Every structure is written in structure tokens, then in C-alpha cells.
């Protein structure tokens, strides 16, 4: 059975004090669903966040990771470093990483391999730009992003993979994919996985939607058959909004 997940991607927001405040507000919220809840603070606050949330049902996850084991990669963070501070899930391939830090399908394939070799769970992000959708290339683009970074994986690696469809035109713009657009793409993604790996892996993989997901639209988006939760940016920076989304199933 696939899981419901709501993950908050804090991006480059919240210093130490702000992180402490937001976490204490998150701890006051109540949860009415069985969704897994995750937050991704900045690297420097991961360990402190992990300690603050040690006995809670909120998992602390990382926003990125390097593919190398260790070595001369100034400014980078390894899988082993993440694991050593209690992290077991990492977001890879976010569109901001692809757009501003030149992450390609090839580097992402390496990152995915390293994460899986270290038994980290991966939330793998992908999605089309507005231009791709206008030109009706969105399905083939998404298919190639998935194939290039994930289709070399053996079947048993898929238990470590969560997919996050994030149309770039909907991220931080206030514009959301309609529930129907999200469902149409999620069903296509599941079919793409089924064609390569069979129905059972395709049915079990969690597929999140991301892009201006908020309390006012989460319920309708999450009600769609192939949408298993959300990767939340802006709305994850407010505890009440975030939990309204967590409770939107
Ligand atoms: P947003 O970001 O919710 O602010 O659009 C989503 C994301 O980038 O994961």
C-alpha cells in the first residue's frame, strides 16, 4: 500500500531562532490523518531540528545531497553526513536545484544511486516548465526526467523512492495545477512506472503534488485518485497552514 505524505520544503528560509519557533508551533498542531509528516529545514539546522522533533511524528528530512562519498567538494554535504545527524530522507532534483545549480538528469541519477546505497529514502522531484505545457510537451518531458534519473534502478530500489510532480510554473507563483491537471499527470506517471516495472511497483509508489499547494486547494487536489500528498513550499512556513494541508485528506 502506498503512503500518504505531506512534506514541507523550507528552502533557504528560517535561521536558528525562527526554526525553533516554527518547530514549537508545529508541535502544538493536531493531526487527524495517517499521513506521514516531514519538514526539510536548511542543512545547518538539521541536527537541532532532529533533536527537537526526536519523539514526535514529524520527520526531519534534507533538501539536497552530493553524490560523492566524501572529498574535495567545498560546500557540499554527503549522504553519510545526513545519516549521522539522524536524517533518513532526502529531496533530490527540485526544480530550483535544476534551474539555479545546473543539476541534470545525469547528476541526479548519481545522487539517487548514492542515496539508495546509503538506504536513504528519496523524494525525487520533476516537472515541466510553462513553455513545455504550452507546446504540449509536458508528458514527454516528465517521462524523460523519470526515465533518465530512475529507470536504471533495480526493482527493489523502488521501495526507497517517492515521486514529486512539481510543475515549475506553479512553484511559488500562486498558480496551481488544477486537480484535474494534477490527476492527469499523476496517472500518466503511474502508467510510465507500470510499463517499465509492472503494476505492483507502480501502485505502491507514492506520488506527491507540489506547486502552490495551500489550505484552500489541498483537499481537492489530495482527493484525486493518484495524488498521494504534497510537497509544500510557502505554506509550510506557517504551522497552521501546514497542518491544514496535512489534515486535508
Ligand atoms: P510552493 O513550493 O508550495 O511555494 O509553490 C513548492 C516546492 O517548491 O516544493
Amino acid at each position: 500500500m502506498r503512503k500518504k505524505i505531506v512534506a514541507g520544503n523550507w528552502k533557504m528560509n528560517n535561521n536558528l531562532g525562527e526554526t525553533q519557533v516554527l518547530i514549537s508551533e508545529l508541535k502544538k498542531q493536531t493531526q487527524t490523518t495517517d499521513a506521514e509528516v516531514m519538514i526539510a529545514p536548511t542543512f545547518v539546522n538539521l541536527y537541532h531540528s532532529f533533536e527537537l522533533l526526536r519523539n514526535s511524528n514529524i520527520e526531519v528530512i534534507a533538501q539536497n545531497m552530493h553524490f560523492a562519498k566524501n572529498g574535495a567538494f567545498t560546500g557540499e554535504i554527503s549522504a553519510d553526513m545526513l545519516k549521522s545527524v539522524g536524517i533518513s530522507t532526502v529531496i533530490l532534483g527540485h526544480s530550483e536545484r535544476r534551474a539555479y545549480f545546473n543539476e541534470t538528469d545525469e547528476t541526479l541519477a548519481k545522487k539517487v544511486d548514492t542515496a539508495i546505497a546509503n538506504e536513504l529514502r528519496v523524494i525525487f522531484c520533476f516537472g515541466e516548465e510553462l513553455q513545455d505545457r504550452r507546446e504540449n510537451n509536458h508528458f514527454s518531458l516528465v517521462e524523460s526526467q523519470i526515465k533518465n534519473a530512475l529507470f536504471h534502478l533495480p526493482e527493489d530500489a523502488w521501495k526507497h523512492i517517492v515521486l514529486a510532480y512539481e510543475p515549475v510554473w506553479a512553484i511559488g507563483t500562486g498558480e496551481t495545477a488544477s486537480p484535474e491537471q494534477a490527476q492527469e499527470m499523476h496517472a500518466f506517471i503511474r502508467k510510465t512506472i507500470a510499463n517499465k516495472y509492472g503494476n505492483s511497483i507502480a501502485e505502491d509508489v507514492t506520488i506527491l503534488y507540489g506547486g502552490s499547494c495551500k489550505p484552500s486547494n489541498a483537499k481537492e487536489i489530495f482527493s484525486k485518485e493518484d495524488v498521494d500528498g504534497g510537497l509544500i513550499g510557502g505554506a509550510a512556513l506557517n504551522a497552521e497552514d501546514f497542518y491544514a494541508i496535512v489534515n486535508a485528506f
Side-chain angles (χ1 to χ4, degrees), residues 8-13 40 63-64 91-104 107-108 111 123-129 145 164-174 210-212 231-235 237:
N9 175 10
W10 289 10
K11 309 190 180 183
M12 197 172 74
N13 294 294
Q63 298 177 18
N64 182 32
I91 298 169
L92 294 177
H94 192 279
S95 64
E96 288 148 19
R97 300 291 321 166
R98 294 175 189 257
Y100 307 139
F101 302 98
N102 304 319
E103 294 201 2
T104 62
T107 53
L108 289 169
K111 289 187 177 201
I123 299 181
F124 183 75
C125 306
F126 52 87
E128 82 281 2
E129 312 249 356
Q145 288 174 320
Y165 168 59
E166 299 206 300
V168 179
W169 47 272
I171 296 179
T173 57
S212 298
L231 183 56
I232 318 300
L237 299 174

Side-chain angles (χ1 to χ4, degrees), residues 115-158:
I116 287 171
N118 284 276
E119 299 196 324
L120 288 166
R121 173 163 57 172
V122 173
I123 299 181
F124 183 75
C125 306
F126 52 87
E128 82 281 2
E129 312 249 356
L130 188 55
Q131 192 65 14
D132 302 311
R133 188 164 274 268
R134 285 206 178 118
E135 291 168 1
N136 209 27
N137 279 337
H138 47 300
F139 291 114
S140 58
L141 194 270
V142 160
E143 185 177 18
S144 73
Q145 288 174 320
I146 293 173
K147 278 187 178 166
N148 293 342
L150 301 176
F151 272 14
H152 63 287
L153 293 174
E155 284 183 11
D156 70 338
W158 278 81

Side-chain angles (χ1 to χ4, degrees), residues 219-232:
K219 203 175 188 65
E220 226 195 319
I221 296 172
F222 293 176
S223 71
K224 294 295 178 191
E225 193 185 335
D226 288 296
V227 180
D228 306 313
L231 183 56
I232 318 300

